[in-house]
Amino acid sequence: MAEARKTFYIIDGHAQIYRAYFAPFRDLTSPTGEPTRATFVFTQMLMNLVQQRKPDYLAMVIDEGGDETVFRKDIYPEYKANRKERPDDFTPQEQRILRIVKDAGVPIFGKPGFEADDLIATLARKLCDSGWDIFLVSKDKDLRQILNDCTRMYDPQTDEVIDSKKLEEKVGYAPNEAVEVQTLMGDAIDNVPGIPGIGEKTAAKLIKKYGKADEVLQHLDELTPKMRENFEKFGDRLPIARQLVTLKNDVDMAFDPASCAFHGFNIDAMKEHLSELGFTSLLKRLGVEEVERTTAAAVQRAVRLKPAKFEEGLFGGMDLEADRIAATAVAEPDAPVLSGEGLDYQLIDTEEKFAEFLTTLKKQARFAFDTETTSVDATEAQLIGMSFSWCHGCGYYVPVRGPAGCAHVDCDRVLEAVKPILENPQIKKVGHNLKYDMLVMRSAGVEVRGIEMDSMVAAFLIDPTRLRYGIDELARELLNFNKMPTASLIGKGKHQITMDRVELERVARYAAEDADIALRLADMLQKRLEELPAIKKLHDELETPLIDVLAEMEFNGIAIDESILKEQSQVLGERIEQLRKQIMDCAGCEFNPDSPKQLADVLFSRLGLRIIKKNKTGPSTDVEVLDKLSVEHPVPKLVLEYRSLVKLKNTYLDNLTDHVSSKDNRIHTSFNQTGAETGRLSSSDPNLQNIPIRTDEGRRIRLAFVPGDREKNVLLTADYSQIELRVLAHFTQEPALLEAFAKDEDVHRTVAAEVFNVPLDQVNKEQRGQAKIVNFGIIYGVSAYGLARRIDGLNVRSAQELIDAYNKRFPRIAQFMDQCVMHARTEGYVETILGRRRPIPDINSAILSIRNMCERMAINSVVQGSAADLIKVAMLNIHRRMQKENWQSKLLLQVHDELVFETPISVVEKESELIRQEMTEAMKLTVPLKVEVGSGKNWQEGK
């Protein structure tokens, strides 16, 4: 009897990782806050594979070295040029999965310059020649070409094996026809140029009929008119397309099948990973009996791995030394999901109940507080009720409005009773997104004081890498608690109603639950902060007090002159129409420049410009593409200008008035503390941070921002001068920068003199301009390629020479940058001047492009984050002094390094100096802080 053939399973690593990442599965995080949804799905797949298929040999193959190193780039430089940036939480899960696979005892193969598919083809050929049965754990269509009698595909999700026969039944072509079919189709994802309009079914029919892609060109008269036109126009692409889609099966790689013999998982290594990640159900499948459960009610000690130390080679340098830190309890994938059902949530809808509730509330030294309203816009919202909680599992809802006929306590009575409690700074309040509640209550005549913690802000400080900080997400991820969704009460879309129309019993459950969860989150996050002294100090002394400042700014709002916006919109509209006409004249045809599809047809079909990258719908016409094509034809440059003006008109000139409040005719933008990982504030509804200031059209928008009382007041602006460069000088102690700032010299001119080795008085405008771009580029870790793009006429080589000259003349800056990167590599994060942390988990990624991006992020985060710390301190100090000394100025806006106030003309001189004083003394750096102060009848004039 013949001996059974050995089975060899080859996992297509990144294909399965991506599949796990996008699987329909709820978000998960580990006890240390690490994202784990993809990790859980992949690990479950790996265990299923082993259990169901019992492989004799097992290995995983991955892409290593990044897209830029792939040999196909030499054939076609635009190969994979349209790949999107990875989501922020993808790479940490990818790196974790690779560690799990390696530690579990499954060898991982990869080779820079080649893609995983090439290595899989090579391994399959070698194994097939030696008499193995090979199963490719993948659904990737690119691997269909290597299927044969001994090589099959296996889908672990459906437990389906696809051999050559089944493939032809499914897709209409055999493995030996796959290359020809793909040659005709091309590949939009990898940016492989094919024949437009040819999909898989059509390509399969053509290959079945003519045998080869090239043969179709010999039978154009047999095709439909449109298909014939496309083959005539794009037929010369076929040789390149064939080269790109054909897999190499002869890659020179070290491979010993014996090293892949699989005798089961390394249980100890798997247990360590699964325990750390909280994967209890997977631990049970391994047969591990004593499993420590992480519950939503307890905080435990947990292990957080430091980032792997990257070394050349195939993941050979992984360092799994652990840094023990306290972690918040985080829900396990299989832990029982909690809800508010059956908890002590009470509706306070009668005078008797309210009196009893009030007696108990007055005894509380600390409680969670939340409001229910008619709108998400705090300045427009009407208060309909308040909720309170001071113990886990309990909550109280006090309605002041509701559906007709529903009983509730009189609004004025409730507000009068709770006002002294909410305004007492000695009684501590916690909540989630409390700034909103503070604004709502202020409109109702109550100024909430005594904020101890906002769980949204605290969660951000502890882990600024999260994608979302909503209370529903945090409840689910940190407490394993499924909150009652808002939509279940008020609906969605056009059928949505306001909360005051919902039955009070249902609102009470929802609102009391909000307060209860806010309290639980606050208690959990407080314990986490105790283990992070620097973050706790930042939370207690800056970010939490800043909530008062931001609430004040949002309450103040800023006035606009709608007539100026209307006038500018009309002028810009005329310019836009002129540009449209110029575009049509240059293109030689009429089309809609706002339509990417029509624009692509004009650029690439009519004008014959080169296709730089593709997206799902065809050739891309994004900013980067148009910028590159601008040197080849006038149309792309005109379209760029057209788009910028249209965006300006639509975003600001035509829509700013939509944000004017009906209550006071002012715009009340929202300032967000959780919007940027560097710690910078962002703004929304409307976003005033992104008003362009480098063009005349952008600067003119600021003319419309005016004082509310134009007869008595002006807008006063106070702007830090070159603050990030001053922070850089402070960190680096670079003598030339220190001296330039000490003497209040033009630092860009000083740097130009040093870099170009010319006397200070002989620095020309071009040299100063280049030095300025390098100065600010260095802060962002600019590469030679990036610098070349920013400076007209500078190629990459010259840009690198400029950077080298800069680093040679200012060696301490280069040393500082190296220190930032090394700190990120060894600790996994960088810190600002006040100890704000930004985790950079991918700093040691084996993928070069990701590693380079993270190195730039490490440098930028320290400098920009410290500048953000500085202006926040200044805002807080100014706010406190305003209250203490009864200044007449009101702080309205913060935009990057600038503060905007509305100030009576009578005190402008005095209060501008007080503002300057507080801003220059906000921190003591080794270089002086400089603040430029101005005032005028509008924002631009103040500049």
Side-chain angles (χ1 to χ4, degrees):
M1 183 175 178
E3 184 179 352
R5 288 160 62 97
K6 297 291 186 180
T7 60
F8 201 119
Y9 283 76
I10 304 173
I11 301 172
D12 185 355
H14 279 106
Q16 292 301 329
I17 294 173
Y18 271 104
R19 192 175 185 184
Y21 181 85
F22 290 106
F25 199 79
R26 65 187 178 91
D27 287 343
L28 298 175
T29 54
S30 76
T32 59
E34 176 183 338
T36 57
R37 182 181 65 180
T39 309
F40 181 82
V41 174
F42 181 94
T43 307
Q44 189 175 56
M45 178 279 298
L46 180 63
M47 295 174 72
N48 289 343
L49 170 68
V50 169
Q51 182 180 37
Q52 295 169 7
R53 305 300 298 182
K54 297 179 174 54
D56 297 314
Y57 293 77
L58 180 61
M60 188 161 90
V61 180
I62 63 167
D63 298 314
E64 186 181 310
D67 292 341
E68 295 303 316
T69 69
V70 176
F71 75 90
R72 290 179 176 84
K73 280 281 188 180
D74 297 329
I75 299 171
Y76 185 59
E78 303 307 323
Y79 181 67
K80 291 193 175 182
N82 58 353
R83 283 290 178 98
K84 292 183 178 180
E85 290 288 331
R86 293 173 163 203
D88 291 342
D89 63 338
F90 177 86
T91 302
Q93 296 188 80
E94 171 204 49
Q95 298 297 313
R96 169 68 80 166
I97 289 169
L98 295 177
R99 289 200 294 270
I100 290 174
V101 173
K102 178 177 180 293
D103 293 345
V106 180
I108 302 176
F109 294 90
K111 184 170 183 176
F114 299 92
E115 295 179 78
D117 291 350
D118 299 309
L119 304 187
I120 291 172
T122 298
L123 296 182
R125 180 186 60 78
K126 289 182 177 182
L127 293 168
C128 193
D129 291 346
S130 301
W132 302 67
D133 277 338
I134 305 110
F135 293 86
L136 312 180
V137 184
S138 179
K139 284 185 66 178
D140 188 352
K141 69 180 186 305
D142 296 339
L143 294 175
R144 292 171 180 170
Q145 61 187 271
I146 63 176
L147 299 191
N148 52 36
D149 291 342
C150 56
T151 305
R152 304 165 182 81
M153 297 178 80
Y154 172 68
D155 183 353
Q157 188 174 40
T158 60
D159 196 29
E160 180 184 27
V161 174
I162 300 174
D163 56 16
S164 299
K165 182 179 179 182
K166 184 170 283 189
L167 176 71
E168 190 160 11
E169 291 173 357
K170 277 178 166 287
V171 299
Y173 57 89
N176 61 0
E177 297 168 320
V179 168
E180 299 302 318
V181 169
Q182 284 184 265
T183 298
L184 290 180
M185 290 168 53
D187 190 330
I189 295 176
D190 289 342
N191 203 30
V192 174
I195 304 298
I198 302 297
E200 186 174 46
K201 289 184 178 179
T202 303
K205 290 178 181 178
L206 291 173
I207 297 305
K208 285 294 183 186
K209 185 173 183 179
Y210 300 113
K212 297 283 186 182
D214 294 338
E215 280 299 309
V216 181
L217 297 174
Q218 308 306 316
H219 300 83
L220 295 182
D221 56 336
E222 300 174 19
L223 306 180
T224 64
K226 182 61 178 177
M227 196 183 298
R228 180 171 66 246
E229 179 186 348
N230 285 338
F231 268 93
E232 289 173 342
K233 189 176 295 185
F234 301 105
D236 58 353
R237 296 176 171 181
L238 297 181
I240 289 179
R242 182 179 286 102
Q243 281 185 277
L244 295 176
V245 301
T246 302
L247 300 182
K248 288 184 68 66
N249 64 2
D250 58 354
V251 178
D252 182 15
M253 57 184 294
F255 170 63
D256 178 12
S259 68
C260 303
F262 186 72
H263 304 294
F265 292 123
N266 181 331
I267 298 296
D268 290 339
M270 288 287 282
K271 178 182 177 182
E272 182 177 350
H273 280 291
L274 301 184
S275 297
E276 180 189 346
L277 296 171
F279 293 169
T280 305
S281 60
L282 299 188
L283 277 166
K284 287 181 178 178
R285 288 183 58 181
L286 281 178
V288 179
E289 294 181 358
E290 294 183 3
V291 178
E292 294 182 6
R293 298 181 63 83
T294 305
T295 69
V299 176
Q300 66 172 21
R301 301 289 293 179
V303 175
R304 171 172 288 175
L305 294 182
K306 288 185 177 182
K309 294 179 180 177
F310 176 78
E311 295 178 5
E312 294 300 326
L314 187 59
F315 303 98
M318 288 192 169
D319 178 8
L320 299 185
E321 292 182 14
D323 175 22
R324 293 189 64 81
I325 60 174
T328 56
V330 182
E332 307 163 351
D334 60 338
V337 177
L338 307 175
S339 76
E341 196 69 41
L343 297 181
D344 185 16
Y345 295 157
Q346 299 185 28
L347 171 62
I348 311 300
D349 58 348
T350 67
E351 183 62 43
E352 292 74 21
K353 290 181 182 178
F354 182 67
E356 183 180 348
F357 159 79
L358 192 61
T359 299
T360 308
L361 178 64
K362 288 178 178 179
K363 298 176 183 178
Q364 307 306 317
R366 174 179 178 268
F367 57 81
F369 172 70
D370 189 42
T371 61
E372 296 306 326
T373 68
T374 57
S375 171
V376 294
D377 184 343
T379 58
E380 298 294 322
Q382 281 190 315
L383 178 69
I384 64 171
M386 291 164 278
S387 55
F388 303 80
S389 176
W390 45 81
C391 61
H392 295 188
C394 75
Y396 305 86
Y397 178 61
V398 184
V400 297
R401 289 184 178 84
C406 287
H408 58 77
V409 184
D410 178 72
C411 181
D412 291 339
R413 155 81 171 118
V414 172
L415 291 174
E416 181 182 7
V418 300
K419 180 180 174 73
I421 301 172
L422 292 176
E423 292 190 343
N424 186 343
Q426 303 306 313
I427 300 174
K428 299 306 176 185
K429 290 89 181 175
V430 300
H432 193 85
N433 192 18
L434 274 168
K435 177 161 58 66
Y436 174 89
D437 304 302
M438 293 168 69
L439 287 166
V440 170
M441 294 307 297
R442 184 159 176 176
S443 295
V446 178
E447 296 194 30
V448 180
R449 298 189 181 95
I451 303 302
E452 180 184 79
M453 176 183 285
D454 184 323
S455 52
M456 181 174 72
V457 174
F460 172 76
L461 289 174
I462 291 169
D463 181 9
T465 63
R466 285 184 179 275
L467 297 180
R468 295 175 293 272
Y469 294 90
I471 192 170
D472 288 19
E473 288 82 14
L474 291 181
R476 184 168 56 249
E477 294 169 13
L478 300 184
L479 304 174
N480 209 25
F481 193 109
N482 260 355
K483 279 186 72 280
M484 189 177 187
T486 309
S488 69
L489 276 76
I490 62 175
K492 294 181 180 179
K494 63 181 181 180
H495 302 296
Q496 189 177 78
I497 62 175
T498 52
M499 196 70 79
D500 57 339
R501 295 171 58 190
V502 180
E503 298 92 333
L504 288 185
E505 290 76 11
R506 297 182 66 211
V507 180
R509 153 78 193 278
Y510 171 84
E513 184 181 79
D514 267 0
D516 176 24
I517 293 303
L519 182 68
R520 298 194 206 194
L521 288 172
D523 290 345
M524 172 183 284
L525 296 170
Q526 184 65 44
K527 292 177 182 178
R528 179 72 178 97
L529 286 172
E530 296 292 342
E531 301 294 329
L532 299 167
I535 302 298
K536 186 177 189 304
K537 181 179 174 69
L538 184 70
H539 171 272
D540 294 348
E541 298 182 9
L542 180 59
E543 292 292 348
T544 299
L546 192 68
I547 296 171
D548 285 331
V549 184
L550 300 181
E552 177 73 22
M553 292 165 63
E554 292 185 22
F555 182 81
N556 291 336
I558 188 168
I560 60 170
D561 186 328
E562 296 186 31
S563 65
I564 293 178
L565 291 176
K566 185 176 181 180
E567 179 185 339
Q568 290 183 16
S569 178
Q570 185 175 348
V571 171
L572 217 57
E574 293 171 359
R575 172 64 182 143
I576 288 169
E577 285 306 310
Q578 291 172 2
L579 281 170
R580 282 180 68 98
K581 187 176 185 306
Q582 283 182 266
I583 292 169
M584 303 307 145
D585 291 343
C586 288
C589 65
E590 292 287 329
F591 72 99
N592 180 9
D594 298 311
S595 165
K597 185 176 181 181
Q598 292 185 36
L599 177 60
D601 185 59
V602 169
L603 293 179
F604 307 115
S605 299
R606 185 179 182 85
L607 300 179
L609 301 181
R610 60 194 175 99
I611 296 175
I612 292 177
K613 63 180 180 180
K614 285 186 176 182
N615 51 39
K616 290 182 179 179
T617 59
S620 172
T621 59
D622 64 16
V623 173
E624 183 182 359
V625 169
L626 295 179
D627 189 45
K628 289 181 179 178
L629 294 177
S630 291
V631 297
E632 300 178 17
H633 198 279
V635 168
K637 187 172 183 179
L638 289 170
V639 171
L640 279 174
E641 184 181 357
Y642 170 83
R643 280 184 180 176
S644 69
L645 296 186
V646 167
K647 182 178 180 180
L648 208 61
K649 185 176 186 294
N650 292 343
T651 304
Y652 295 108
L653 299 180
D654 293 345
N655 291 328
L656 270 180
T657 54
D658 294 342
H659 296 279
V660 175
S661 170
S662 59
K663 293 182 179 180
D664 59 7
N665 293 318
R666 296 170 78 94
I667 287 177
H668 300 266
T669 186
S670 294
F671 291 98
N672 311 308
Q673 289 170 273
T674 62
E677 289 184 42
T678 58
R680 276 190 178 274
L681 295 172
S682 64
S683 74
S684 56
D685 303 317
N687 180 359
L688 301 182
Q689 302 275 5
N690 286 347
I691 295 178
I693 58 173
R694 295 183 179 178
T695 63
D696 289 338
E697 291 85 3
R699 284 190 290 269
R700 278 197 286 270
I701 292 176
R702 293 190 172 198
L703 294 171
F705 290 81
V706 296
D709 187 337
R710 300 194 213 184
E711 296 296 323
K712 298 179 180 179
N713 297 344
V714 292
L715 290 187
L716 186 154
T717 65
D719 195 353
Y720 276 116
S721 173
Q722 299 172 338
I723 188 58
E724 290 176 349
L725 285 177
R726 292 173 192 268
V727 170
L728 183 67
H730 171 78
F731 277 123
T732 64
Q733 293 295 292
E734 182 58 59
L737 291 183
L738 295 177
E739 183 180 359
F741 284 125
K743 293 181 177 179
D744 197 21
E745 294 176 348
D746 180 344
V747 71
H748 301 311
R749 185 172 294 277
T750 300
V751 169
E754 298 286 350
V755 171
F756 295 108
N757 196 26
V758 297
L760 190 64
D761 59 357
Q762 292 183 25
V763 172
N764 60 37
K765 184 178 180 181
E766 181 182 4
Q767 290 171 328
R768 183 190 181 278
Q770 290 190 6
K772 181 177 181 179
I773 293 173
V774 175
N775 272 333
F776 287 114
I778 288 294
I779 296 169
Y780 293 91
V782 70
S783 64
Y785 174 76
L787 188 62
R789 289 195 62 193
R790 299 182 194 191
I791 300 178
D792 291 338
L794 196 70
N795 58 35
V796 175
R797 181 175 179 181
S798 298
Q800 186 61 58
E801 290 174 353
L802 187 55
I803 292 174
D804 291 342
Y806 187 98
N807 290 336
K808 183 177 180 180
R809 181 59 193 85
F810 304 110
R812 293 195 181 186
I813 293 178
Q815 291 169 12
F816 163 74
M817 294 163 64
D818 290 341
Q819 289 168 1
C820 292
V821 172
M822 288 308 299
H823 189 279
R825 282 183 177 159
T826 57
E827 302 299 327
Y829 61 86
V830 290
E831 288 182 317
T832 67
I833 200 167
L834 292 185
R836 183 189 308 275
R837 289 184 181 182
R838 181 177 189 178
I840 306 183
D842 305 328
I843 190 70
N844 295 312
S845 172
I847 301 170
L848 180 63
S849 59
I850 293 177
R851 201 162 72 247
N852 288 343
M853 176 191 70
C854 290
E855 289 173 358
R856 294 192 296 271
M857 192 185 298
I859 299 163
N860 171 41
S861 296
V862 175
V863 178
Q864 191 179 99
S866 295
D869 288 348
L870 170 62
I871 198 164
K872 285 181 175 180
V873 171
M875 293 166 65
L876 183 57
N877 291 348
I878 290 170
H879 174 76
R880 285 173 172 167
R881 192 166 174 186
M882 278 181 166
Q883 290 186 319
K884 183 179 179 181
E885 300 177 6
N886 294 316
W887 291 9
Q888 296 183 55
S889 293
K890 290 184 177 181
L891 178 55
L892 311 183
L893 299 178
Q894 185 271 338
V895 180
H896 304 310
D897 305 323
E898 177 184 3
L899 301 178
V900 180
F901 303 81
E902 184 167 343
T903 306
I905 297 171
S906 59
V907 297
V908 163
E909 188 173 343
K910 174 188 174 184
E911 296 197 359
S912 64
E913 285 307 308
L914 294 175
I915 290 167
R916 189 198 307 272
Q917 177 187 351
E918 288 299 329
M919 292 180 71
T920 54
E921 296 179 1
M923 282 186 190
K924 298 297 182 186
L925 304 184
T926 50
V927 294
L929 295 177
K930 184 178 181 180
V931 177
E932 296 173 349
V933 180
S935 61
K937 59 187 178 182
N938 57 61
W939 187 2
Q940 181 59 27
E941 190 174 295
K943 296 289 290 180

